[in-house]
Amino acid sequence: MSITNTASAQWKGGLKTGKGVVSTASDALNDVPYDFKQRFEGQAGTNPEELIGAAHASCFSMALSMILGESKLEAESIDTEAQVSLEEVDGGFAITRIHLTTRASIPGADDAAFQEAAAKAKAGCPISKLFNAEISLDASLV
């Protein structure tokens, strides 16, 4: 099976004074603005690393749900946050770490089985496979 999804970005102007918008074919994002201040100076708004974090958190949560299902477990909820670290490295910038924090309510799951499923999801999620960065995980049943 092969699935192709599409997103686009437009940028106008110089790095520090320019502005951009990002969109997805599904219209989940439609001309959402981003710029230098949002990415590097902490101003409100989105940036590429935040979008990567959203993609990774959602991918991991779905992968965990699939792996739990293979053990006949179904989550009431899986809440995942991805902290994406962008750092200056060798005169440029790189995503060096992603830390996933997930809290899940799974009736009938014991911690050992949950930790094993979470580790498999972290390693097997397609977004995890995309990165050349350290990916850590803090997983807890609630």
Side-chain angles (χ1 to χ4, degrees), residues 10 12 14 18 20 23 27 37 61 65 73 86 94 104 108 110 113 142:
Q10 179 185 60
K12 294 182 179 180
S23 299
D27 281 334
K37 291 178 183 179
S61 295
S65 177
L73 295 170
L86 180 69
D110 65 34
V142 292

Side-chain angles (χ1 to χ4, degrees), residues 111-129:
D111 192 59
F114 172 70
Q115 294 299 329
E116 182 179 334
K120 284 181 182 177
K122 178 179 78 86
C125 145
I127 301 296
S128 290
K129 293 177 183 180

Side-chain angles (χ1 to χ4, degrees), residues 73-107:
L73 295 170
E74 185 172 318
E76 287 179 353
S77 65
I78 299 171
D79 297 296
T80 304
E81 176 183 275
Q83 293 176 323
V84 180
S85 297
L86 180 69
E87 297 182 26
E88 194 165 356
V89 178
D90 299 326
F93 286 89
I95 293 173
T96 56
R97 279 185 309 287
I98 299 172
H99 180 73
L100 300 171
T101 300
T102 194
R103 301 293 179 254
S105 176
I106 306 163

